[in-house]
Amino acid sequence: MAGPLANRMRIGGAAAGCGPLIPPLSETTRPLRQQIFDRVRAAGQIARVQLAKELSISPASVTTLTSELIERGFLEEVQTPREADTGRGRPAVALRVRAAAHYVAGIKLSDREHTAVVVDFAGNLIAGETVARQPGAMQLAEIVAATEKLLDQLCLKAGLPREMLSAIGLGVPGFVDCPAGVVHWSPVLVDRHVPLAAAASRRLGLPVHIDNDANLVTLAELWFGAGRGLSDFAVVTIEHGVGMGFVINHRIFRGSQGMGMELGHTKVQLDGALCRCGQRGCLEAYVADYALVREAQTALNLTHRENQSVGALLESLFDHAKAGNAAARVIFHRAGRYLALGLSNVVNLFDPELIILSGERMRYDYLYAEETLAEMQAMMLNTGRQAPRIETHAWGDLLWAHGAAALALHEVSDGLLCPPREIAAQ
């Protein structure tokens, strides 16, 4: 793991701030106390005078509101060295989030392994845990039991009783209605339209907030990674499936029912290849790992290896491609062309500043080779604009769990800092 997010995801490290870095004066609809708290958390630590300047409010208002946040245990004062410190006078005082005020867990459930993290109120990573599992869909009771077992292992490792957690963020692949807490379809669940959030909350005795796993990767980038200072960016995840999360004006976009941005299930071929969602012609059916393996089993006669995992078969395909096997190279090249088609549609629709290609599969450079990105640009509208920046982040599954923790942090802080009527108005 490397890059800006890796620096945030260190156990016991000092906070460098987390959350979107929203420009001053760009948000005026939220309560001032929430704007102040979010700005302190994003900065890591900040002086009152700087808060007043950035929010264009009086120092007296900052003092009043920060005093309230300190009394409620959300913020604390910290002494900082003065510039050109002579050792005389009172030390400078800044504000930071009181890290021990709340703890949350983030959990990612997937087809091959479940991962989890605990972070404090300032976003510092306390502990992480990974548990392998046999692939295949599970019943609701099974997946809730597996979640509880993983959470107990995580809490033991973190040295925190479960009761000290304020909320849990839970991510699954598939079609997720985030506000309703319902999973309408997921490869990790046998049934459709599953009230996963309510079932997990009853079993764990804690508030549980769920979301699509691609949205969680996007939240991780928005809160801890390359997207913190950007107003508009996209994250395209390529794993066992293809997903996308999108940030508009520093906020993740989910659609009217929480299920927007399903890039992997946009159609790229009428009556095309069968997708695991049950429909044909989806982008995912040409780019995801199971799609590549399906072609490899035919082109490279790998059918005798059916007992091997998808990951092992994909590694074999990649080895063949690196060794110069023409059929293997064609498979990756074709997948790259379909990915270029999908990305060009994202650019033409949303015009993002940055597209992050994320996931373990991004170590296969055929998917983002120069010719792939050139083909993406060729399919963009010819308006004279430059193509958006493309970054590849080949993080492991801990990233996804960190995004789930960001979801939980957001829900906890909003619940504490916004009266119900203000939350409803946002």
Side-chain angles (χ1 to χ4, degrees), residues 206-219:
L206 294 165
V208 175
H209 308 280
I210 69 171
D211 207 343
N212 171 279
D213 56 359
N215 282 344
L216 297 184
V217 175
T218 308
L219 279 173

Side-chain angles (χ1 to χ4, degrees), residues 27-41:
E27 282 203 325
T28 58
T29 58
R30 294 186 306 151
L32 263 177
R33 78 177 81 82
Q34 187 182 17
Q35 293 184 52
I36 288 172
F37 177 84
D38 288 346
R39 196 161 291 276
V40 171
R41 181 159 59 188

Side-chain angles (χ1 to χ4, degrees), residues 4 9 31 53 62 81 98 106 120 128 168 180 208 240 260 264 364 400:
M9 294 170 59
K53 179 180 178 181
V62 169
R98 193 170 74 86
D120 61 29
I168 295 171
V208 175
H240 193 51
Y364 301 128
W400 309 67

